[in-house]
Each structure stands twice: as structure tokens, then as C-alpha cells.
Amino acid sequence: MEHGTGSGSNGPSGSIDKSRVLDVRPLRTLVPVFPNPAGMSSVSTPQPTPFVCVPPSGPFPTGVQPFYPFMAPNGTQQTPHSFQNDPGNFGPGGSIPAPVPLNSFRTPTSHENGGSSRSKRASKTRASRPVIIDDDEYSDSQNQSDQYVSGFSMHVTDAEVGSSSRKRRGRPLKRRAENGNEVEYDVESLLNRFLTSFKLKEFDEFRRSSGDRETTSTILLVYDLLRKKLTQLEEANSLNIGIARRPDLKAGTLLMKKGVRTNSSKRIGHVPGVEVGDIFFFRMELCIVGLHAPTMAGIDYMGVKITMDEEPVALSIVSSGGYDDDGEAGDVLVYSGQGGVQRRDGQMFDQKLERGNLALEKSLHRANDVRVIRGLKDLNGTTGKIYVYDGLYKIQESWAEKNKSECNVFKYKLVRIPGQPQAFSLWKSIQQWKDGTAAREGLILPDLTSGAESLPVSLVNDVDNEKGPAHFTYVSTLKSKPFPTSKPSLGCQCMGGCQPGDSSCSCTQSNDGFLPYSSLGVLISNNSLIHECGLTCVCPPNCRNRISQTGLRVRLEVFKTKDRGWGLRSWDPIRAGGFICEYAGEVIKDDLGNEIDDDYIFDSTRSYEPLEAVSEDSSDSNKLPFPIVISAKNNGNVARFMNHSCLPNVHWKPVLRESNNETYLHIAFFAIRHIPPMQELTFDYGVVASEKGDQGKKKCLCESVKCRGFFY
DNA sequence: GAATGATCATTTTA
DNA sequence: CTAAAATGATCATT
């Protein structure tokens, strides 16, 4: 059966000439199907697209056949195993197969009502369902309903509405409903506050269906805020519940329901507002920016009209990173199809050529671009994944293999389109620098801190001959002078480290009742001041509330920039809220009125644009208690190399550590957004009060869209 | 046929 | 390790 699939009916040559397939570029002719904002090609950006508007000469020009499964484009047989066992998908005896009929794929309606109308309907469905719980359940779950009061619940929960078999009996319980509504209002109003302050209330249909850089970054920021807030609330409540919840999904659902998403109209090729190399930490993040719509499935696809018929084409895949064998350069990916395993009992079946598998097969023959998102193990977190957008690939071939259970599994070989910025391959290089199998080009010093930090910091120059920055003494922490406190602090008594939801922890209380860091050590507090545990606290050094005291957590490198002197960047990915470093140096007195002539100054008294328009502070105690000016000219750490940007990816927070009658103030830097490896770390130096005139003003080279043109 | 409701498939996350 | 989660495609029904 190796033959017969192609020859007779496949046109003159009997095999597909790959170059011709590529030459035809069938999908270019489909451009009208994917309306895009002017100037935004839906197809691979680096490719020249001179004939975008050429009318189609037909859906299947000569030499390009309709779909034959498992025929490689070059005509070699890629069908090692028999498929005729599956009469549903293949024609008898290996003749022309009959895949799932194309008309079974629903026509996507015009893009404007495609996504949004459906989601409207979904929410209507939910809202209209009665929430009725019988008396027994109510009394049984008295405790639970108390949790709703103290904790949070978005609405009177999908879980109850969706899965309870008891929901139709009994009368609605007012009290329960009220409780639920009250709580719903809390999260609802929280969300509304976010949306208002980020001006997402009047999020228009255009930005919803097609994004841009600012839109995606705002949406991701709001998602992160919301997710963190839900995490915080949930953790504080976990003593009561003790069940794992999914703040990532809940935050996503809330935003989706509000229509706060972008690129909701599906498209082939790049997604506006998402750049090759961007990283994500949750599948939901991929959904809300439209990079990959399914929340769980690994293959995203859409129906594409081809004259009368419609066929699915693949849009993007998320590789889980488990069993992919990639090429040496990281530009090849072998992807396994979906299905074939019963989730309940783990029983395996042959995979079927339907859904995503069929779409990939079609995309192989249509030669359209497929976005690839690489899922990698997060070495920092224990279980988490990092998703790297690795740009566009083309499917080169497909075949089927038998797995251990003797079931057919589809395999798709994807090859990265050349000319795109480095993404996944960069990760591979970095790994090699770390394990010593490859040398970092331009390396001057393996560790400029000479062991002063917990991790080495490389000094690298791959742009010119400068051998390093001017001499300074590396110190890992601020020589902070204690400030007297009004109230003596005894410190907390958390022997095993501070835990969320512990109302007896005095450090938690100082932070408005919530620990400012998540279990992964990521900043989740929005307060403008962080109270960490101090000398008199009994908790151990690895306490979650001592993040800024525990030294570097990411592998940094000081590097020579093209035009801004030395800069700082990270070999490791940093998630939003991740701790980077503190600002070390000497606290300098400015009250003598001395002019500070120093390029290594941190000055908390400058005015800063608030990062979050939403202030969570409940009291004045969370305001910066005293101004601080730090010089890192003679003594400093990596922070002194961080350049200014008007659109920064790092921000600072004042951190207080109290002990007895003294308070130590430190300045800690955290990631504003997810930062991919090797992206320069920058923060906003702030603006000097106007009465000081233009002194110290410098021309800004940050090149961001928000650039003020100068900095201090 | 169109509109709607119900179910299913997917796999990540804690 | 297991359970639970959300979306969108598909199926079923009106």
C-alpha cells in the first residue's frame, strides 16, 4: 500500500514537487479570509509578499493536489504502518482515503461575530441558569458558605451550577445567594477597578479582534494583577478550603467574560502584539492574547473556506517539551498528534485523523505557516512550565508510529522559517553557557562579583574593545543606616517561616494581612511599601517574607550596550514580579545641599509614574516613610548597571526590615512583566523636581514609544 | 437552515 | 499523583 495513494490521481508527476507547492503559496490567495489591519500581513513577516493581492487561480492549482494523508510533499512514502484498519478515516485498501468530511467543520462566521457572539451566548447561558440548592445541601455546606464570605468566589460557582446533580430540587436560598453575590461583588469590583484604571472598560471591538504591542502588554499586566490578587485571597483562605484552586484559570475566565482579550479573530501567521521570543507562564496567557486559543489542547486550528468547501488548517501548536526531539540548532520540532488516550483509565487507542491532527495534515499540504510555542520545564519552579513563542514554522512531513501500546500516533515534523529573531535557540545556547559546553562570546570575566553574590555575574563585551567599567567595589547589599521606629517591633514568631493566612504573624499584619510574596517568591503585593521579616523575627532565612535578603535568584550578565554604556540583562527568564536585586551602595546625605555629580545615583525623591494605577494601600503606613538617596559610584552591586528606560521592564519598591527599635530601608527591584532571557533590564530613573532645573538632564536613548526624550 | 443547548476533547496546574 | 479547570468544536435538538 505504499503506492497507489498518489500516483494516478495526483497530477502529471505523480508526486508533489515541494518547490512548486511552496511557489504556489496557496494561502496567499486566501488573504481576504483573514482581514487584518492595514499594513499587517497575516503571513510571515520576514517573507517578501509581493503578490498578496494576486487573485487565486484556483484553490488547487496544477501540481498541488487535494489532501492525501501521509504523502510527504516530495513523494516519498511516509506510511510505514497500515491505516486501512481505520475505515472511518481511510478508504478501503489504501486507495484514496476519505478523511473526515470537510463540511463537518463549521464555517467561521465573519470574524466580528465569530468569537464574541459565542462568548456572549455562553455567559448568557450561565447567567440564566437558576442557582438552586436544596436545604440539605445548604446545611451540609454551611462551613463552605462561610468561606464564600471570608474568601472569594466569582459567582455562585460554575462548579455547583455545572456539576451538581442536585441543583434542580429545592428552592433558591436567599442567604446563600446573597452571600455569593456579596462576594461576587468583591471580585467583580476589584476587576472593575483594574479595568477602569487601565482604561479597558471601553475596550473596543477592533482591539479585541486585532491587537498591538501595547494592548497585549496591558492585558497581560491586568491578567497578572488579577491572578496574583486571586492567589493572595485564596492562600489567605487555604486554611479553610485546603483544595487546590486555579487562580490562573479564574483570572482568565473573568477577563474573557469581560471581553478583555485581544486577537480574538483567529489568523494564520504572526499575531500582532506578540513578538518572537516572548515568554509566558500560563496557558491562559496564550489564550487572552490570541496566540493560541485552546486552554488545554495543543493544536489550534480554524476552518478556511476554499471555494465551496472548507477545510481546517493548523494555526499554532504548543509543544509540551516532553518527547520532542529537536534538531541541533533547535529549529526542527517533531510534534505528536493529539488524542489516542482515554483520560479516565489511561487506555490507549489509535489516534484519529481528525481535529487538530487533520488540521496539521492539511497545513502540511497547504504549506501554511504554523506558530510554534515551545513549552519548557521551569527550572526555578518545581512543576511549572515556561512557554516561549518561537515564531513560525512550516510542516515538512508527517507520518505515523506505533507507540508502546502498539497504537498509531501521528508525528509531524516542523521546520522553523529562517530569518526570524532568535528565541528557543537562544535558550539552548544559554544552557550551553551554563553547563560549560559552549563559551559565551565576548566574555571578559566569569564573575565580576568575585563570589560576593550567590550566583556569578558575567561581564561581557561583544560590541567593542572596552575591557570593563570603571573600577568600583562590589558590595552585595546596601549599607543602610537604621532609622528609629515609632513603635518597637518584636518581630514575628513563625518558627517554620511565615505562612499565608496566619493572622498571628505580625509581619503579615504589617502588610495589610497578606504576605507580599507568593510561594514561588514572586512579588504579589500592590502596596507601595513592603514589610519584610527582620533581625528579631524568628523565622528562618529562607522564609518567604525575606525575598530581597536572599541574594540573586537569576543568572545575570553585565554587558556592553551599543550606545548606552554598560547594561544589565539576565540569562534566565524572569516572571512578572520576580525579584532581581536590590540597589546596593551608600546612603548619601544630601542635606548639605551638595550637588551630586554622580552617574550612579538612586533617588527615591524623584517623581515616578505609578506603575499600577490601582493603589491597594489601606493606610499611610504603607507610604515611603523617608526619602533615600543612594550612591553606587564607589560601592555598588549589579543594580548600578541598570539603564534608564521610559518604558521599563523593572521597577523598584521600598522594603522595610524592622528590628527592635530600628528600621532598615532597602530598595528592591522586581520585574514588571515577564522578561525573556537576554532582554536588557531597565527601570525608570524618575524625574527630578522642576525647581532643580535641567541640571543633570541627559538625552534618553531608550527608543521606546513612550520616550520622554530625556532622563536624569 | 439557523439558532441554541449539551456534550466532549484537550492537558495543565497545584 | 490526581482532580478539576475553561474553551471551542462538534453533536443534538428545536
Side-chain angles (χ1 to χ4, degrees), chain A residues 124-140:
Chain A
K124 202 170 76 189
T125 309
R126 267 196 196 107
S128 65
R129 291 210 209 153
V131 178
I132 302 172
I133 299 135
D134 66 35
D135 289 347
D136 289 342
E137 180 177 310
Y138 177 61
S139 47
D140 284 350

Side-chain angles (χ1 to χ4, degrees), chain A residues 176-358:
Chain A
R176 170 65 170 275
E178 273 165 12
N179 287 348
N181 285 339
E182 197 181 313
V183 174
E184 175 177 354
Y185 178 72
D186 280 344
V187 174
E188 189 74 22
S189 63
L190 177 75
L191 175 58
N192 283 334
R193 253 186 323 133
F194 286 153
L195 298 187
T196 310
S197 53
F198 287 96
K199 300 190 175 68
L200 290 172
K201 268 291 174 57
E202 55 286 334
F203 196 58
D204 55 277
E205 196 58 46
F206 181 74
R207 284 208 292 168
R208 191 169 297 148
S209 73
S210 255
D212 53 58
R213 193 67 178 161
E214 195 178 347
T215 304
T216 54
S217 92
T218 308
I219 287 183
L220 287 173
L221 194 61
V222 171
Y223 173 81
D224 204 58
L225 281 171
L226 190 60
R227 205 195 87 254
K228 286 171 173 174
K229 198 66 210 171
L230 295 177
T231 307
Q232 216 177 35
L233 291 166
E234 175 186 312
E235 280 189 337
N237 207 18
S238 62
L239 295 177
N240 299 332
I241 295 184
I243 320 166
R245 302 261 172 169
R246 295 286 299 270
D248 57 322
L249 296 184
K250 280 182 176 158
T253 311
L254 280 166
L255 291 185
M256 294 284 249
K257 271 195 203 143
K258 291 275 179 192
V260 181
R261 60 188 300 187
T262 186
N263 295 313
S264 66
S265 72
K266 293 194 170 190
R267 68 199 68 212
I268 291 172
H270 285 297
V271 156
V274 181
E275 287 166 13
V276 174
D278 279 355
I279 61 172
F280 305 86
F281 287 80
F282 294 94
R283 283 289 300 261
M284 216 27 142
E285 294 179 326
L286 306 175
C287 301
I288 59 174
V289 300
L291 189 62
H292 185 84
T295 47
M296 295 167 183
I299 307 169
D300 193 6
Y301 57 98
M302 73 185 286
V304 168
K305 255 217 163 90
I306 298 176
T307 58
M308 299 294 277
D309 275 333
E310 182 181 283
E311 65 177 41
V313 292
L315 305 175
S316 56
I317 60 167
V318 180
S319 83
S320 50
Y323 43 161
D324 309 318
D325 72 1
D326 27 56
E328 297 133 40
D331 56 356
V332 175
L333 170 69
V334 175
Y335 189 79
S336 301
Q338 62 189 188
V341 58
Q342 196 103 57
R343 215 195 58 72
R344 271 264 164 248
D345 45 13
Q347 203 186 341
M348 311 245 353
F349 303 96
D350 281 353
Q351 287 187 346
K352 289 190 186 132
L353 195 62
E354 57 185 27
R355 301 168 188 276
N357 298 344
L358 179 61

Side-chain angles (χ1 to χ4, degrees), chain A residues 111 124 275 356 409 436 464 486 550 657-658:
Chain A
H111 78 284
K124 202 170 76 189
E275 287 166 13
V409 174
D464 58 28
S486 46
T550 45
R657 302 171 200 160
E658 291 182 9

Side-chain angles (χ1 to χ4, degrees), chain A residues 20 45 99 103 116-117 261-262 277 301 308 321 442 516 519 542 641:
Chain A
R20 292 183 72 182
T45 33
N103 60 11
S116 58
S117 73
R261 60 188 300 187
T262 186
Y301 57 98
M308 299 294 277
S519 55
N542 66 353
F641 294 107

Side-chain angles (χ1 to χ4, degrees), chain A residues 81-83 349-351 400-403 406-410:
Chain A
H81 304 293
S82 66
F83 283 94
F349 303 96
D350 281 353
Q351 287 187 346
E401 289 174 13
K402 295 268 186 214
N403 64 8
E406 287 295 297
C407 292
N408 284 323
V409 174
F410 295 129

Side-chain angles (χ1 to χ4, degrees), chain A residues 447 449-457 474-477 551-552 581 584 637-638:
Chain A
D447 181 16
T449 80
S450 311
E453 297 280 8
S454 47
L455 289 171
V457 177
Y474 197 97
V475 294
S476 63
T477 188
L552 301 184
C581 62
N637 69 343
V638 285

